[in-house]
Amino acid sequence: QQGYGQQQGYGQQQQGYGNSPGPRPGSNMVGGSQYGGNTVGGDFSQEEVDKHQRTEKYKEWGKYAAGAAAIAGVVGATAYGVHEYRENKEEEREEKEREEQEKEREQERRRHEQEERQKQQHQQQQGGRHSPGHDSAYGGHQGNQGHQGSQGQGGFRPPAPMGRPPYSFDANDVRNANPARSSDNSPTPHEYPQLRQVGSDSTIKMGSIISLKHNMTGRFLHTDRSHSTESGSNQQLVFGFKWSPDENDWWQVLPANHDVPVPGSVVSFGTQIRLRHVETGRHLHSHYNYRERKSGQNEITAYGDQGHSDENDHWVIERWGDGAYGQTWGSHEVVVLRHYVSGMTLHSHELLISEDVQSVTCFGPGNEENDKWRIECQ
């Protein structure tokens, strides 16, 4: 008993553990340490103490590493955000520039039209104006330029065809083509070199390749082999198609039958021309007795070929509003195409024959907004 009782060291230690005061603030075990009082003391071995210190250091290093990773993530996210912001700002800038350019083009177009209207009003107030005529007139040679038409309260009035009554602009006033002005026995070459615009040159010449865009609807004058008229003429249909030109929207400017201008010679307003469809070789054509079925107006077709053409393929090119006979035809001008035989003009409107097939006719004296056409060159 005494021997067991002498083992008070163990018993006292148990008593000391059971009854010792609680640990001091900031210390987990008796003894504390320089690392915040977390290091064990007492009867732990030095190996255990060292292991515990290493564990504490690893925890500290882990905190530092986690903090560095978080900082790196924030920096990376910030850099990506800056990149995306710059990309978006660049796209917004480019879109704004495109919108500004489109707005400037539209303003220029409207300004030009306003100037034309003011010019026309001024000429009406002055009672019309005349410019020097040309002896060749309608029906002559080397360009077929006509006398200057009058400009009065009724708008521009084209001169009467040579040797024929004045135009009535009436679809029931049937006028037939002169057979002597067909391609039969004509000295006019069957082909002219195809000319493309070069640089800023806006002058239209004999042989120029152009497309015609309807000013009001924006559709291009089009024909192809898959569309025919439904009037009974069974000719190739001409109509307004898409809002940007395709391979079937290009036409070559050619002289009237029996005219022999030099290839590349400048075309003046008032000149009789033919327009040959580049893809199919047929000519822009109109005639009486066949009406476009929805509008009831004289139809427009593509007719003939390189070796076959008649006077119904002849058109007089005029500047919108005043005719401008004798002045150079520029691609920037708004124009009217007047059918020489009937006097009526190339016309279109928002009337669809079928999907993307807009009605194009020969109608009226040429003083409507729907008679305006713009030129685009290839």
Side-chain angles (χ1 to χ4, degrees):
Q1 294 290 338
Q2 182 64 32
Y4 180 81
Q6 291 175 350
Q7 296 179 12
Q8 293 181 359
Y10 179 79
Q12 290 172 354
Q13 188 162 336
Q14 284 280 62
Q15 183 178 359
Y17 179 80
N19 297 322
S20 63
R24 297 188 307 274
S27 174
N28 290 340
M29 293 299 291
V30 179
S33 78
Q34 59 179 335
Y35 297 106
N38 291 332
T39 303
V40 293
D43 293 336
F44 288 96
S45 67
Q46 184 62 42
E47 182 180 352
E48 290 174 323
V49 171
D50 292 343
K51 182 178 180 181
H52 181 73
Q53 290 175 347
R54 286 195 300 272
T55 301
E56 290 300 318
K57 288 182 181 180
Y58 294 158
K59 288 180 180 180
E60 291 295 324
W61 292 343
K63 291 177 183 179
Y64 296 150
I71 292 172
V74 171
V75 171
T78 302
Y80 179 76
V82 169
H83 173 74
E84 287 296 304
Y85 174 78
R86 288 176 176 172
E87 287 287 324
N88 291 336
K89 293 298 287 184
E90 181 66 19
E91 291 177 0
E92 290 176 3
R93 184 186 65 80
E94 292 176 354
E95 180 65 24
K96 187 174 181 180
E97 286 181 356
R98 285 193 294 269
E99 291 176 356
E100 290 295 328
Q101 291 172 357
E102 184 64 29
K103 187 183 298 183
E104 289 176 1
R105 286 193 292 268
E106 180 65 19
Q107 290 174 347
E108 177 63 21
R109 185 180 71 83
R110 291 180 179 178
R111 183 191 64 78
H112 181 75
E113 290 184 352
Q114 179 65 23
E115 289 177 354
E116 291 295 330
R117 284 193 292 269
Q118 292 174 351
K119 185 187 298 183
Q120 184 176 356
Q121 291 170 0
H122 175 72
Q123 291 168 356
Q124 291 173 352
Q125 292 169 359
Q126 297 297 320
R129 69 179 177 86
H130 299 267
S131 65
H134 300 268
D135 293 337
S136 57
Y138 278 68
H141 294 278
Q142 302 299 329
N144 272 326
Q145 293 180 338
H147 293 289
Q148 174 67 34
S150 62
Q151 178 74 41
Q153 293 300 318
F156 175 73
R157 293 193 296 272
M162 179 160 273
R164 305 182 197 183
Y167 291 128
S168 66
F169 312 113
D170 182 358
N172 294 314
D173 178 18
V174 177
R175 300 182 178 213
N176 296 315
N178 182 353
R181 299 197 66 212
S182 72
S183 57
D184 295 342
N185 300 316
S186 172
T188 306
H190 292 320
E191 295 184 38
Y192 267 66
Q194 294 186 358
L195 304 180
R196 270 72 178 178
Q197 295 297 98
V198 177
S200 60
D201 183 14
S202 63
T203 304
I204 304 300
K205 306 174 181 68
M206 284 297 174
S208 290
I209 304 298
I210 66 171
S211 61
L212 290 163
K213 182 178 183 178
H214 189 237
N215 191 64
M216 287 297 290
T217 63
R219 292 182 185 264
F220 282 83
L221 192 71
H222 179 102
T223 190
D224 55 54
R225 292 183 176 87
S226 63
H227 290 83
S228 298
T229 61
E230 299 177 354
S231 63
S233 66
N234 296 319
Q235 295 180 10
Q236 191 168 291
L237 181 68
V238 172
F239 55 95
F241 191 45
K242 298 289 189 177
W243 293 273
S244 57
D246 70 10
E247 66 275 7
N248 282 308
D249 296 341
W250 298 104
W251 305 79
Q252 185 181 21
V253 178
L254 296 174
N257 291 311
H258 294 271
D259 287 346
V260 194
V262 175
S265 57
V266 173
V267 179
S268 299
F269 289 116
T271 302
Q272 287 185 58
I273 62 171
R274 290 177 298 158
L275 290 175
R276 178 179 292 163
H277 190 239
V278 173
E279 189 69 18
T280 64
R282 300 185 185 276
H283 302 101
L284 188 68
H285 179 96
S286 187
H287 42 218
Y288 288 92
N289 301 321
Y290 295 99
R291 309 284 182 88
E292 191 276 310
R293 65 181 178 86
K294 284 200 170 182
S295 68
Q297 298 167 3
N298 283 0
E299 69 181 9
I300 296 287
T301 69
Y303 171 76
D305 53 40
Q306 292 181 350
H308 183 62
S309 172
D310 66 21
E311 196 180 34
N312 276 326
D313 301 338
H314 292 188
W315 300 83
V316 181
I317 185 69
E318 298 173 354
R319 187 168 69 188
W320 162 259
D322 63 358
Y325 283 20
Q327 299 183 33
T328 298
W329 178 14
S331 60
H332 60 283
E333 305 277 9
V334 178
V335 300
V336 170
L337 280 163
R338 187 176 305 281
H339 188 237
Y340 176 70
V341 173
S342 69
M344 292 182 280
T345 57
L346 188 68
H347 178 95
S348 190
H349 33 224
E350 292 183 346
L351 178 62
L352 295 181
I353 299 171
S354 59
E355 184 178 0
D356 282 331
V357 178
Q358 180 174 289
S359 168
V360 174
T361 65
C362 192
F363 174 77
N367 54 15
E368 294 186 13
E369 290 292 321
N370 279 328
D371 302 328
K372 290 181 176 180
W373 297 84
R374 290 183 176 273
I375 305 299
E376 290 196 10
C377 296
Q378 195 174 51

